[in-house]
Amino acid sequence: MDRKILVVDDEKDILDGFEQAFRNADYTVHCAESAEEALEVLNRVNSQVMFLDLKLPKMDGVELCRQIRKDRPLAVIYAVTGYPSLFELADCREAGFDDYFIKPIDLEVLLKAAEDAFARIDRWKKQQIQ
């Protein structure tokens, strides 16, 4: 199974922590420190599961999600933020995020979210074949 995850966060420590946790769980991890870098990665890599920080320089995570959704409607995209608000949560739903996590995040919760996302994608692919 193709288990590629994209993690986007402008905080290097958080990016490194996510990357290590996912690699230890046998995922292929691609990292980006900005929305623009994330879009470049997605031009090269077919990642269907993504964790996007909402507060990024230039283009924010909500706009990045909208951009990704145009080309990858079946991707599972999670919002990650250290600054939750109800208004932002509504924006996330509208942009197409599948779920919303508040930092600091228990790594077990992230790993479960990734596992669930790949299971959902597998179900969709099997239903398309039938």
Side-chain angles (χ1 to χ4, degrees):
M1 180 163 111
D2 196 16
R3 295 165 47 101
K4 294 181 185 140
I5 293 177
L6 173 65
V7 179
V8 184
D9 201 303
D10 61 333
E11 293 180 54
K12 188 82 170 100
D13 291 346
I14 291 172
L15 207 56
D16 291 345
F18 280 28
E19 180 178 20
Q20 192 63 50
F22 288 131
R23 283 195 199 284
N24 288 345
D26 291 327
Y27 293 104
T28 301
V29 185
H30 298 274
C31 297
E33 293 184 31
S34 69
E36 295 77 12
E37 185 182 347
L39 292 171
E40 287 174 21
V41 169
L42 289 172
N43 282 332
R44 299 186 317 266
V45 175
N46 183 22
S47 176
Q48 291 295 323
V49 176
M50 299 165 217
F51 292 84
L52 312 181
D53 186 24
L54 294 178
K55 302 281 188 235
L56 295 168
K58 297 182 188 165
M59 185 192 308
D60 67 16
V62 171
E63 183 56 33
L64 176 58
C65 182
R66 286 188 185 109
Q67 297 274 330
I68 293 169
R69 277 278 171 235
K70 289 177 190 172
D71 297 326
R72 298 168 191 263
L74 296 183
V76 178
I77 308 174
Y78 296 117
V80 180
T81 187
Y83 311 97
S85 76
L86 221 46
F87 178 72
E88 186 176 74
L89 185 57
D91 284 347
C92 287
R93 292 299 307 153
E94 180 270 325
F97 280 103
D98 291 282
D99 207 343
Y100 184 91
F101 296 100
I102 299 168
K103 297 175 191 175
I105 307 164
D106 181 336
L107 291 177
E108 290 301 316
V109 171
L110 280 185
L111 293 172
K112 177 79 171 100
E115 186 181 315
D116 291 349
F118 284 108
R120 186 182 326 165
I121 290 167
D122 279 350
R123 279 194 311 275
W124 289 336
K125 285 180 179 174
K126 285 177 184 153
Q127 288 171 358
Q128 283 181 331
I129 293 170
Q130 294 176 355

